[in-house]
Amino acid sequence: MSFDHRLRLGINIDHVATIRNARGGLHPDPLRAAKMAAKAGADGITLHLREDRRHIRDEDLEKFIAQVELPINLELAATEEMLDIALRHPTHAVCIVPEKREERTTEGGLDVARLHNSIAPMVRKLATAGRRVSLFIEPDPIQLAVAEAMGAQVVELHTGAYAEAALEGHFEKAEQIVEKLAEAARIGTARGLEVHAGHGLTFDNVTPIAAIPELVELNIGHFIIGEAIFIGLEDAIGRMRRLMDEARA
């Protein structure tokens, strides 16, 4: 099978909202960041509406749906409250992610095998409502099999362990995780799933992940927003776009 598609780049703008929320008020405006991301070459916008609303808020979601032309990927926890919000707000995709109130960021993939009985009905309801359903999981064959059985159209592979190993200089371990991610991408694609990846990706570590031919999309947020402080949002997105394209070339 040939994979010559352009690897899509989804930009998560949650941390623009985090900075805004630290002081209150309206600045910086995450909607403005999303529009700049579109201009800079992003293929989609990701938002995580957390239960504690530490990132975007409900009114942000409504503004994004009304004013952002790029596809919106809404990340949310597997709760009845979030399911109701997703059903009332027509975004392009909904990605179900694990979430704990005390965590600083997502700490791992969703264990869809263990949580099958609670996740499967949510997937069915979202799919029936016309949402493209994604599950944020570890690169594990069992999780992939369950995701397919549930009827998810997309899986996003958690790259956090790879990013952490690379950052700490454990390069052999990082290479082993890349191999595991690549195998998961192959398995997922063979099962008819569209395979994405994300978490902890940077200029320094994105190339081996972007080079995995079966991957269709990378979602990157915290690093891009942080780097924008130093070089600007459009330049940060543009450089990431170039690195991804070079990896595919």
Side-chain angles (χ1 to χ4, degrees):
M1 185 178 294
S2 174
F3 296 93
D4 56 0
H5 53 73
R6 177 179 182 269
L7 182 60
R8 297 198 302 258
L9 173 59
I11 298 296
N12 186 319
I13 53 76
D14 286 337
H15 291 292
V16 177
T18 303
I19 297 170
R20 176 198 63 188
N21 298 347
R23 194 164 182 173
L26 302 176
H27 183 78
D29 183 2
L31 179 60
R32 181 182 177 190
K35 291 179 177 180
M36 290 181 68
K39 183 180 178 182
D43 299 294
I45 299 295
T46 291
L47 313 168
H48 185 176
L49 185 66
R50 291 182 59 99
E51 291 182 273
D52 59 15
R53 306 306 198 267
R54 76 171 69 162
H55 298 325
I56 68 158
R57 300 188 289 248
D58 299 68
E59 58 268 28
D60 292 320
L61 177 58
E62 293 170 1
K63 290 178 182 177
F64 271 72
I65 292 171
Q67 299 184 48
V68 174
E69 295 182 359
L70 290 179
I72 295 174
N73 175 39
L74 175 61
E75 293 183 342
L76 42 74
T79 68
E80 286 300 319
E81 178 201 12
M82 290 299 155
L83 174 60
D84 179 64
I85 289 172
L87 291 174
R88 288 188 287 107
H89 294 84
T91 58
H92 170 73
V94 174
C95 184
I96 305 173
V97 301
E99 184 179 309
K100 294 184 291 186
R101 286 186 181 273
E102 66 273 17
E103 70 187 357
R104 291 187 180 182
T105 185
T106 303
E107 296 173 350
L110 191 69
D111 189 346
V112 294
R114 182 174 64 85
L115 300 171
H116 176 277
N117 290 346
S118 60
I119 301 295
M122 189 171 180
V123 173
R124 286 196 297 271
K125 290 176 182 177
L126 288 167
T128 299
R131 305 297 186 273
R132 187 170 176 78
V133 184
S134 175
L135 300 174
F136 186 79
I137 62 173
E138 293 297 328
D140 177 83
I142 294 175
Q143 302 295 332
L144 289 161
V146 174
E148 180 196 8
M150 283 184 180
Q153 296 161 291
V154 180
V155 291
E156 182 170 343
L157 303 178
H158 177 231
T159 55
Y162 158 73
E164 184 176 341
L167 180 64
E168 294 176 352
H170 300 152
F171 300 118
E172 184 175 347
K173 180 180 179 181
E175 290 177 5
Q176 293 171 351
I177 298 173
V178 170
E179 292 175 4
K180 188 175 182 180
L181 287 160
E183 178 63 14
R186 287 191 290 270
I187 293 171
T189 300
R191 287 185 171 276
L193 297 163
E194 183 172 297
V195 186
H196 302 177
H199 200 78
L201 298 178
T202 71
F203 294 154
D204 293 330
N205 67 25
V206 72
T207 296
I209 303 301
I212 297 173
E214 291 84 1
L215 290 179
V216 175
E217 180 174 302
L218 300 183
N219 284 299
I220 305 174
H222 181 268
F223 175 78
I224 291 286
I225 301 306
E227 195 65 15
I229 295 171
F230 304 105
I231 66 173
L233 185 58
E234 291 190 24
D235 285 347
I237 292 172
R239 182 175 174 187
M240 186 63 76
R241 175 75 268 165
R242 289 191 297 274
L243 288 168
M244 290 165 57
D245 290 344
E246 288 168 4
R248 279 298 166 92

